[in-house]
Every structure is written in structure tokens, then in C-alpha cells.
Amino acid sequence: MTPPNHDVVVKGGALRLIEPSQAPAAPKPSVDRFFRSLAEELQERAIGVILSGTGADGAYGVQAIRAAGGVTISQDAAT
């Protein structure tokens, strides 16, 4: 679980806690930020899984993983 007022990113092969985005509409914590760092760090070895939730957090992150050659899996909204 991510502590309040932090985002998790992958950097140098390790999970790191960083300050969240200051954008007012940005979710805190942000799975997009985590997935984008995962794509950058692991490229084609990155895997992202999105389960049900609200909003669009994660959408840009899975695009980054796919663009890097990684694999993404998402839950069907009807389930």
C-alpha cells in the first residue's frame, strides 16, 4: 500500500517513494506514474494489470507499457 502523499516509481531496479504530482486533478497516489516508470525501466519486460476502479488512472500508464513492448491486462468493465 502506498502511503498518503506519495507516489511509487521504479528507478534503478528498486521501488521508490516520491512526492506526488502537484497537478490539482492528478490522482494521489497515481498508478499512471508507476506504470510509466515501469515501462521506462523494464521496457519489454514490463507487465501492467488494471482491475476495476473509477476514473482513468492507469490508462496512460498501460499505453506507455505497450509502447515499450510490454504486456498489459485489464479487467472487463462488465465484470
Side-chain angles (χ1 to χ4, degrees):
M1 178 178 238
T2 305
N5 298 317
H6 288 86
D7 281 340
V8 177
V9 296
V10 179
K11 187 170 184 171
L15 295 175
R16 310 242 184 230
L17 292 176
I18 60 171
E19 295 293 319
S21 168
Q22 297 305 311
K28 294 163 184 60
S30 171
V31 74
D32 267 330
R33 199 166 184 191
F34 173 70
F35 279 170
R36 286 191 308 248
S37 72
L38 192 67
E40 184 177 313
E41 186 83 10
L42 297 177
Q43 299 181 7
E44 71 278 352
R45 295 178 294 140
I47 299 172
V49 178
I50 297 288
L51 300 177
S52 64
T54 59
D57 191 28
Y60 294 115
V62 295
Q63 287 176 356
I65 290 173
R66 283 186 170 169
V71 175
T72 61
I73 301 167
S74 62
Q75 181 179 10
D76 185 317
T79 64

